[in-house]
Amino acid sequence: AELGDLANQAKALRRIGVVYRYQGHLSDAIAVLRQALALLTQIDDQDGLAQVLTNLGIVYGELGRLEDSKAQFEHARRIYTAAGNQEGVSYTLADLGQLLLYFGDSRQALTALNDSLSMKEGLADERRKANTLLNIGTAHKNLGDFQQALTLSYQALAIYRSRRDQSGASVALGNIGALYEELGDYEQAAQYQRESLDAKRQGGSPMQISIALVNLASLAIKHANFAEADAYLREALTLAVAQQSEFAQANIYAKLGALYLRQRQFAAAVAACSHARQLYQQIGSKMGELEAVSLLGEIAFRQERFPEALTFYEDALRLAEMLNDMSSLWTAQYYLGKIRLQSGEEEAA
């Protein structure tokens, strides 16, 4: 009876951790998931341990803690492998692939995702298969193969629609929209992003609607439709605040900062990016903080406030090195060199 009580407590804690994660309360999610791990270790529930380790891996990834995240996934995979649970191994590979995508390692992500898909072909979970197809498509997009990415995204969309899965379809539609944007077909891009938003309004969560609004705002910013972008972001922010998601709020404030920067509204841009940075620091997201501090560096550079820009880009360089983000690392080094040239430090530049 005692073992059963502990198992039920662990399940309840895991569910609470998942809810915290969806709400953007990532530190709280880690705390309760660790409690669940302790209980599952006590009763030697290996399958439960692997599930919670996977949940922890996802949360650590969203916080930008790549090595911690990978360690959780590898531990889960070892448990599933030892138990001969091929389905568990497949799902862990899929989650690991998604994590690697998030950190920009598309080649390794593609390997993990293809391995996962090959193991799942005989399984009945079509939704999981569609999710993996979408992620494989994203990997191909990141590697510059937009046509292959489109093909895979359309395959995923067909599966979602055959299951009447509005939530999945909305994600696929958004991915297709982003791909048409990369291909320069902005009319098609906007059409699919609007379809994605409509689908999410019908069957998605408030946070999914918020994500679709941010995607449309990003497209509007690129095409200088600033009033439209502002309206999308304001609606997205209202939803994020109502859901008490600090992570989503931080992302939206960073996008508002980028919008104000494009409009040369520097004071508003600084305020939005500073708030985004504060929120990212509160939840421990190094990747988010890197985005915010890089924007603050660009704002200061544009205003020729070079000492402040130097400080921001030095912070960005430190974060990029910590995360092994080569693109952000190059950008920070480039601007640091330009700032030092402006200051007459040619050798340092």
Side-chain angles (χ1 to χ4, degrees):
E2 184 181 350
L3 289 178
D5 288 343
L6 291 175
N8 288 331
Q9 287 178 43
K11 287 179 182 178
L13 287 166
R14 181 189 175 219
R15 286 194 291 268
I16 292 168
V18 170
V19 171
Y20 275 141
R21 180 227 162 188
Y22 279 116
Q23 291 178 336
H25 305 312
L26 302 182
S27 297
D28 291 330
I30 287 173
V32 296
L33 289 170
R34 281 176 170 167
Q35 291 177 42
L37 274 184
L39 291 175
L40 292 163
T41 301
Q42 186 177 339
I43 62 177
D44 196 28
D45 181 345
Q46 293 297 303
D47 188 65
L49 272 173
Q51 292 178 38
V52 175
L53 286 164
T54 300
N55 294 137
L56 266 174
I58 292 168
V59 178
Y60 280 132
E62 289 175 348
L63 284 169
R65 294 167 59 176
L66 175 60
E67 294 307 316
D68 286 334
S69 182
K70 286 168 70 175
Q72 311 308 310
F73 285 124
E74 290 300 330
H75 191 179
R77 181 160 63 165
R78 287 197 301 271
I79 291 173
Y80 284 132
T81 300
N85 184 343
Q86 292 300 299
E87 185 175 10
V89 173
S90 173
Y91 291 168
T92 303
L93 283 168
D95 289 332
L96 177 60
Q98 188 167 0
L99 168 78
L100 292 166
L101 274 181
Y102 184 70
F103 280 93
D105 193 344
S106 295
R107 293 194 184 280
Q108 282 198 40
L110 199 55
T111 299
L113 292 164
N114 279 324
D115 287 348
S116 172
L117 190 63
S118 68
M119 295 174 70
K120 288 194 305 197
E121 287 293 352
L123 301 177
D125 194 340
E126 285 288 296
R127 191 177 199 281
R128 273 280 199 170
K129 178 180 176 181
N131 292 347
T132 304
L133 285 168
L134 271 188
N135 284 328
I136 293 173
T138 299
H140 280 290
K141 173 194 169 190
N142 294 346
L143 294 169
D145 191 348
F146 301 129
Q147 290 298 337
Q148 178 65 5
L150 263 180
T151 298
L152 291 161
S153 298
Y154 277 121
Q155 287 177 18
L157 179 61
I159 293 172
Y160 291 131
R161 283 179 165 166
S162 71
R163 293 167 48 84
R164 294 182 173 82
D165 183 341
Q166 283 286 87
S167 176
S170 69
V171 176
L173 288 163
N175 284 21
I176 292 168
L179 284 162
Y180 277 118
E181 183 180 352
E182 292 284 357
L183 291 166
D185 191 337
Y186 301 119
E187 186 175 336
Q188 283 274 65
Q191 176 188 327
Y192 275 98
Q193 292 291 9
R194 283 192 289 270
E195 284 187 41
S196 173
L197 177 59
D198 290 343
K200 285 174 179 173
R201 289 195 192 281
Q202 293 173 35
S205 68
M207 291 314 305
Q208 288 176 320
I209 296 169
S210 178
I211 291 168
L213 288 163
V214 170
N215 289 340
L216 277 165
S218 297
L219 189 61
I221 291 170
K222 287 181 180 178
H223 299 288
N225 297 325
F226 299 135
E228 183 181 337
D230 188 74
Y232 286 136
L233 289 172
R234 293 294 170 185
E235 185 181 351
L237 184 60
T238 298
L239 291 168
V241 170
Q243 293 297 303
Q244 299 183 327
S245 172
E246 291 180 335
F247 189 81
Q249 289 175 57
N251 180 45
I252 295 163
Y253 275 111
K255 292 293 187 295
L256 281 167
L259 169 62
Y260 297 142
L261 176 58
R262 283 288 304 274
Q263 296 175 286
R264 301 185 66 80
Q265 296 178 18
F266 295 123
V270 168
C273 291
S274 296
H275 191 47
R277 186 184 188 186
Q278 181 182 14
L279 288 169
Y280 280 131
Q281 287 175 328
Q282 286 174 7
I283 61 178
S285 174
K286 300 299 183 188
M287 289 191 72
E289 186 184 356
L290 172 58
E291 178 188 9
V293 79
S294 297
L295 280 167
L296 285 165
E298 185 177 352
I299 296 164
F301 186 84
R302 294 267 196 96
Q303 292 184 287
E304 299 184 355
R305 295 185 285 111
F306 297 125
E308 289 179 58
L310 183 69
T311 299
F312 286 131
Y313 278 117
E314 284 176 341
D315 287 346
L317 184 64
R318 172 181 55 80
L319 289 163
E321 287 174 340
M322 185 186 306
L323 296 168
N324 197 30
D325 184 335
M326 300 311 295
S327 175
S328 297
L329 187 69
W330 183 90
T331 301
Q333 288 174 329
Y334 173 77
Y335 277 102
L336 284 169
K338 291 190 73 170
I339 292 165
R340 295 195 188 283
L341 278 176
Q342 291 284 348
S343 305
E345 302 174 48
E346 293 185 10
E347 187 173 341

